[in-house]
Amino acid sequence: MSENLNNYLDFLNIQQKDAVKNTDGALLVLAGAGSGKTRVLTFKILHLLVEKLAYPSQILAVTFTNKAALEMKSRVTNLLNYPIDSMWLGTFHSLSAKILRQHSEIVNLKPNFVIIDSDDQLKLIKQICEREKIDTDAQSPKLFLSKINGLKNKGIFCESIPLHIHKKNPEIKKIYRIYQQELVRLNCVDFGDLILQCIKIFTIDKEICFKYQKLFKYILVDEYQDINLVQQKWLEILYNGNKNICCVGDDDQSIYSWRGAEINNLLNFEKNFTKPEIIRLEQNYRSTKNILKCASSLIKKNDGRYGKNLWSDNDVGEKISVRGFWQTKEESIFVSDVIEKLLHEKESLKEIAILFRVSAHTRSFEERFISLGLPYRIIGGLRFYERKEIKDVIAYLRLVNNSNDDLAFERIINVPKKGIGKTTIQKIYSIARLEKISMFEASNILIQDSNNKITNEIRNFINNINQWSNLKNKLNHIDLVQLILEDSKYIAFLETEEKKSNNPENLNRLDNIKEFVESLNDFENLEGFLEHVSLVMENNTNTSDSTISLMTIHASKGLEFDYVFLAGWEEGVFPSKKSVDELGKIGLEEERRLAYVALTRARKKVYITYVNQNRYSYASHDFNLPSRFIDELDKNLIEIVDSSYFVNNDLIEEMNQSNQFQENYITPGRKRLLSKINKNEDDWEFNQDFELIENYSKSIKKGSRVFHQKYGYGNIISFEGEKAEIKFAKSSQKKVFLKYLKIID
């Protein structure tokens, strides 16, 4: 290439060429999926250097990952055939760190400051809360950390917290102020500070600000749709020197609001920069015409977008296949069957991906692939049985099944946290070695003749394990797991954790547990399940380069594959009920952008699947509707096949005229379903094992602990005929039919 630098523009289409040659002023390049945005940025840098419009040191190129920065640098270096080490190329954080180290004294830091991670941030805030006597039960350190990081992402200093935030949480201003003082004292910064303190330097010292404004003759920004408010402010300050900025992004691929990304930065580009030009890259080089048209038909339903008309010279390609299934097992069998067929046709596994809205949904696919010997990898996450919350619950089950399991004991003795620290565990371990007994037995010895907070917690733990062990042969193993999850307060712990985080990858823990419970339905007893897990963990190692890729849609951004399976397209799952409920139209539009990203990962073929049975309720009488996004796809470009299971399953006849089954659903299967729903809810029984309700009613009494499929665990308060008044742990007091209840004790 270096020999043909005079002809480098010939490698670009007309729109790409215009974007590369447009160097003066503000430019927004709206780059559709697969339209070659990285190519444009690379050639833009090349153009500035070849035409001698700037030295490498005068170019500021901002990427979102260090990997992207290295790839871009490598491409330009290979094209030029000489190094460009002096160019300012990196992430917002790495570039800000470089500036901050040169001028750290202005913000009372030394040049050798340390960048702390989130764990260290949390430790520091915990120390502050303890010192300031903050009630951490009412206001957790994690919540303070989340609030502080959120304020920094918006460019808000501790001195300038808006009144409405201060009123809502009076302690946040004090904690934020002390936290910043502690960072300075320790000569530390967090990631948010890297940019914020940089802005502070520019604000305090106008000479330094002017120096960098003049230095950066050209500013290039990748993935502009994903920047937050403080990054936008940083860019605007530096832009005000030479006023040459080129931002490349796609308003239809803005999917990171949970980490502070503001799509309005892109949509308001014309307000933020002086007389900008907008160039659209609309030729897609990745996907077939059908995939592209189908994705476009979906994203056009969004209002918050500039709008593009993507087109392709590629083949028309196959229609998008939409398949409905009754159970998750059928879904995974279908996908594996298609993959086996593709293998037979000599297609490579590395060109196959399965994308999920919720990471918990990988479980059924992982088990299917392991059983078939199909190699796979999880991108951007852990395999299902390697996830912390799953390993925690399995440890509980192992200990209930075998109290001599020291590894399980050590893992969950303090989960959720009970104040049982390493010192106490070491004491238990020492007793166990000395007496040649299990740690569980040793813990009994430790608590003898002792009555303090720690020993009481251990005593309660031991009693729980013993109680669950006694119930092991009396309760269905699924009910037993539900009981353990509730009595151990593990579910309550996860629910609390969920409230403290907006990261979707962290919000999936409860879904993982629900998926875990659902998986138990495939086994006759607890021992069988534990043996299965052991075998799964033993056989899940894969060293092959050619593997099926499993990942969330968020993790798939920027990737592409020949064949893409989009699993779990059910209403409430995708779009996410949580996102729509909390953010309304804004949340729905981001979910739709996520669907658009998913569709445009594929080159040749897309399969969309949904499951009719509630994924998280074994033996459930609840049904999922296919995602509304399926309804929004161009009907001429898709082929829908409903599950015969769903259409013909006897349980359908036992459904009532539920509000979730209304007339606006689209598939032929839905029409058939509606015609079959004709019975009253009271006609079906929760427990089919009960022969006579009157005999059953004699076995329960006032105070009995019971389980209800919908409302969970509770205690009977009173009786009225065939109904009982129940005080539910996680719901209001309700009257329910006795036949819907299972006795726990």
Side-chain angles (χ1 to χ4, degrees), residues 466-515:
N466 286 331
Q467 182 186 1
W468 299 330
S469 297
N470 292 332
L471 289 171
K472 187 178 70 169
N473 297 321
K474 298 176 184 178
L475 281 182
N476 174 297
H477 62 294
I478 300 171
D479 292 336
L480 177 64
V481 171
Q482 297 268 26
L483 183 66
I484 292 170
L485 287 169
E486 184 163 316
D487 284 357
S488 67
K489 297 184 173 59
Y490 195 81
I491 291 295
F493 161 71
L494 290 183
E495 288 173 341
T496 303
E497 290 293 299
E498 183 182 36
K499 292 174 183 175
K500 299 173 186 174
S501 175
N502 289 321
N503 186 334
E505 301 304 323
N506 293 332
L507 298 181
N508 290 331
R509 300 192 187 282
L510 278 169
D511 288 332
N512 289 338
I513 296 296
K514 292 173 183 175
E515 178 71 19

Side-chain angles (χ1 to χ4, degrees), residues 105-117:
E105 72 283 351
I106 296 174
V107 288
N108 302 314
L109 292 168
K110 297 173 184 175
N112 64 340
F113 61 78
V114 175
I115 304 170
I116 64 172
D117 60 18

Side-chain angles (χ1 to χ4, degrees), residues 697-710:
S697 62
K698 291 175 184 176
S699 63
I700 58 177
K701 57 185 182 293
K702 188 176 178 180
S704 291
R705 194 168 190 221
V706 295
F707 176 77
H708 187 275
Q709 185 71 26
K710 184 175 182 181

Side-chain angles (χ1 to χ4, degrees), residues 51-172:
E51 296 297 320
K52 297 184 171 31
L53 297 173
Y55 295 110
S57 60
Q58 294 176 307
I59 300 173
L60 175 68
V62 190
T63 63
F64 251 79
T65 64
N66 289 313
K67 182 184 176 185
L70 289 171
E71 286 178 356
M72 193 172 294
K73 183 178 180 179
S74 176
R75 288 191 189 188
V76 175
T77 300
N78 290 335
L79 290 170
L80 288 169
N81 208 23
Y82 66 80
I84 51 168
D85 293 334
S86 63
M87 191 171 79
W88 289 67
L89 173 59
T91 65
F92 279 100
H93 293 100
S94 66
L95 294 167
S96 294
K98 188 175 178 180
I99 295 172
L100 187 55
R101 290 204 186 275
Q102 293 184 24
H103 310 285
S104 56
E105 72 283 351
I106 296 174
V107 288
N108 302 314
L109 292 168
K110 297 173 184 175
N112 64 340
F113 61 78
V114 175
I115 304 170
I116 64 172
D117 60 18
S118 56
D119 288 341
D120 288 331
Q121 281 183 278
L122 188 59
K123 285 179 187 174
L124 186 54
I125 289 175
K126 283 179 177 178
Q127 290 171 5
I128 295 168
C129 288
E130 186 176 348
R131 194 169 67 231
E132 297 298 316
K133 295 181 169 49
I134 303 291
D135 183 1
T136 54
D137 290 331
Q139 301 179 89
S140 73
K142 281 191 177 181
L143 185 60
F144 281 125
L145 176 58
S146 177
K147 293 288 184 187
I148 290 170
N149 286 340
L151 290 167
K152 289 186 177 184
N153 284 339
K154 293 178 179 173
I156 298 172
F157 295 89
C158 58
E159 310 86 44
S160 54
I161 293 177
L163 187 61
H164 71 278
I165 295 177
H166 185 250
K167 280 186 176 179
K168 193 173 180 180
N169 192 341
E171 300 285 0
I172 187 66

Side-chain angles (χ1 to χ4, degrees), residues 575-601:
S576 161
K577 185 176 185 302
K578 179 180 174 69
S579 183
V580 175
D581 286 351
E582 292 183 359
L583 299 172
K585 183 180 178 182
I586 294 172
L588 177 61
E589 292 209 345
E590 177 151 334
E591 291 288 303
R592 192 175 284 114
R593 290 194 292 271
L594 200 55
Y596 174 81
V597 168
L599 288 163
T600 54
R601 297 311 91 198

Side-chain angles (χ1 to χ4, degrees), residues 539-588:
N539 294 304
N540 70 0
T541 303
N542 172 56
T543 57
S544 173
D545 292 331
S546 184
T547 59
I548 306 161
S549 298
L550 279 66
M551 71 197 84
T552 63
I553 303 172
H554 282 100
S556 75
K557 180 91 165 17
L559 303 177
E560 56 186 66
F561 305 88
D562 284 348
Y563 302 92
V564 174
F565 296 86
L566 308 179
W569 278 45
E570 300 113 30
E571 195 67 21
V573 175
F574 194 34
S576 161
K577 185 176 185 302
K578 179 180 174 69
S579 183
V580 175
D581 286 351
E582 292 183 359
L583 299 172
K585 183 180 178 182
I586 294 172
L588 177 61

Side-chain angles (χ1 to χ4, degrees), residues 328-329 360-367 384-385 390 393-394 397 476-478 481-482 511-526 528-530 532-533 536 613-619:
T328 56
K329 187 179 290 186
H361 295 173
T362 66
R363 193 269 312 169
S364 61
F365 292 88
E366 289 187 62
E367 296 199 348
F384 185 80
Y385 290 110
I390 302 302
V393 179
I394 289 173
L397 298 182
N476 174 297
H477 62 294
I478 300 171
V481 171
Q482 297 268 26
D511 288 332
N512 289 338
I513 296 296
K514 292 173 183 175
E515 178 71 19
F516 174 84
V517 174
E518 195 274 339
S519 72
L520 295 170
N521 200 46
D522 296 334
F523 303 89
E524 291 184 5
N525 51 49
L526 184 61
F529 170 74
L530 291 173
H532 167 77
V533 170
V536 166
Q613 187 185 38
N614 190 316
R615 287 179 183 268
Y616 302 136
S617 297
Y618 65 94

